[in-house]
Each structure stands twice: as structure tokens, then as C-alpha cells.
Amino acid sequence: MESTYKLIMRAGAEQGKEYPLEKNEIVIGRDQGDDIVIIDPEVSRRHARVFQQGGGFVIEDLGSTNGTYVNGQRLTGPYVLRSGELINLGEHISLLYDVAVFDPDATVASSTSGQYAPPTRQAATPAPAPAPAKSTSPQAGFSGQVPISPEEGAPRKRLPTWAIVLIIAIIAIVVFCVLPMVIIDATNQWCNLFKDVFNGISPGVCP
């Protein structure tokens, strides 16, 4: 079976226009040098890129001003596209990601996004598109990160340096100041240890 990938303009100045994804990497934007040129004030000069990975395509925002959205969720990282998903560039441009599967032995081409070719071939079972991986990012928004090896576990949190210094200082004050004073007071050793000091302040206090 053979698959063809394309973007279809669903909302915008050229509604209905199709953009075949025939290269490994395709840049979408307002610049005339881009692979897919979309003239709209909310589309950045280099807005997003779509690149091939595995058996499908991945979309990634290129730091655009108005953002790239898939199914209404703003991208914060690369996202593996599935057939039938809707891509928005800003508020005015909407593109449908479409995958059509052709069976040379059949008589109909099947489009996994729900649109079908003329009845010249028999319908074929569409190949499953890769599912988006879970995003581990805590940010609001939507990244659907490209699958990568899981990390070996998050590092343990450590106390900040200032907190460690403060704890050490408190322990030192207790050990060297507060504790000796408690012992001296409990054993009534003030006059034995500081007789001259107390008599200098108030003569006759310590015999």
C-alpha cells in the first residue's frame, strides 16, 4: 500500500487548496521562500515546519508570534500528527492534515481523514497513523512530544544554600550559647565563673 500526505486549507483566503507533503521537511509561513506560502497578517514569516518521521509527519512551531495550534491546543514542542487533525496558524488560518492510502490491487483510494477519492478503486483499510506521545511538560498548552527514551527519574530536590547556612547557625547558637547558659543557671555557677564581672557592675553581688 502507498500513502500520500497533504494539508488542505479549511479556513483562509485559499479555502480548499491542497498542499501535498512531498518533501522530508516543509516550512510554512508568509515568506516567499517558504515551501507553503500563506499570506495572512497573523502568520509569521517562518511560522511552523512539518517534517517526516517514521510513518508520518511531525509539526513544530518555529517561535511564531500568534502560535500554532492542533485541535485547539497550542503547541509547546514537536507533535506527531494524526490524519484528520486540524492545524491553526493564528486565528484565521486552518489546515486539515490528510492521509490517503492506496491499494494497487483495490479499486478505491481511502482517505483516513474522512474524504474519499472518486469511486475508481475499492476501499482499502487505512494504515494507522502514529499516536502522539504523552507530554511530560508541566506548562499549560500542548506539546505532544515526539517519542523519546524516558528519563531515569527526576532528581531529588535539595535545600537552597541559604537554608542550610541558617540551620547550621541556629544549631551553633543553641550548642555554644543557649545550652551553656542553661547549665550555668541550673548549677548556680554565675558567681563562680563571672564573679569579677558581676562585682564590677554591682559591688558585693557575688561574695
Side-chain angles (χ1 to χ4, degrees):
M1 288 188 182
E2 297 180 357
S3 299
T4 61
Y5 305 88
K6 59 186 175 182
L7 297 177
I8 304 172
M9 181 79 74
R10 280 297 180 87
E14 298 181 284
Q15 186 173 355
K17 184 173 181 179
E18 296 185 359
Y19 304 94
L21 304 180
E22 300 174 337
K23 296 169 61 177
N24 290 335
E25 179 173 309
I26 295 169
V27 176
I28 306 171
R30 201 174 69 248
D31 192 279
Q32 292 298 323
D34 294 336
D35 300 293
I36 296 178
V37 179
I38 299 177
I39 305 302
D40 185 276
E42 290 199 357
V43 175
S44 298
R45 294 176 64 85
R46 286 173 57 86
H47 196 105
R49 73 179 181 120
V50 177
F51 59 94
Q52 195 166 24
Q53 179 170 297
F57 278 85
V58 175
I59 187 169
E60 180 180 28
D61 187 78
L62 295 178
S64 64
T65 301
N66 294 299
T68 302
Y69 299 77
V70 175
N71 300 329
Q73 297 292 323
R74 185 164 186 162
L75 296 183
T76 59
Y79 175 77
V80 181
L81 286 167
R82 293 178 294 184
S83 183
E85 290 189 310
L86 209 59
I87 301 166
N88 291 93
L89 310 179
E91 294 183 0
H92 303 146
I93 303 301
S94 180
L95 299 165
L96 175 71
Y97 175 67
D98 181 82
V99 181
V101 182
F102 297 93
D103 186 349
D105 299 324
T107 57
V108 173
S110 174
S111 170
T112 59
S113 67
Q115 294 189 353
Y116 297 91
T120 56
R121 297 184 181 182
Q122 183 178 353
T125 303
K134 285 186 178 180
S135 170
T136 57
S137 172
Q139 307 174 33
F142 178 64
S143 65
Q145 298 293 331
V146 178
I148 56 175
S149 299
E151 296 182 358
E152 289 298 329
R156 295 182 179 179
K157 292 184 178 180
R158 298 179 59 186
L159 287 174
T161 303
W162 65 265
I164 295 173
V165 172
L166 180 61
I167 292 171
I168 293 173
I170 293 172
I171 293 173
I173 292 172
V174 171
V175 172
F176 295 105
C177 296
V178 177
L179 190 58
M181 291 178 65
V182 171
I183 295 173
I184 292 171
D185 189 67
T187 57
N188 198 20
Q189 296 295 317
W190 292 107
C191 284
N192 291 337
L193 296 175
F194 307 104
K195 179 178 181 179
D196 294 336
V197 175
F198 287 128
N199 284 336
I201 296 173
S202 180
V205 172
C206 292

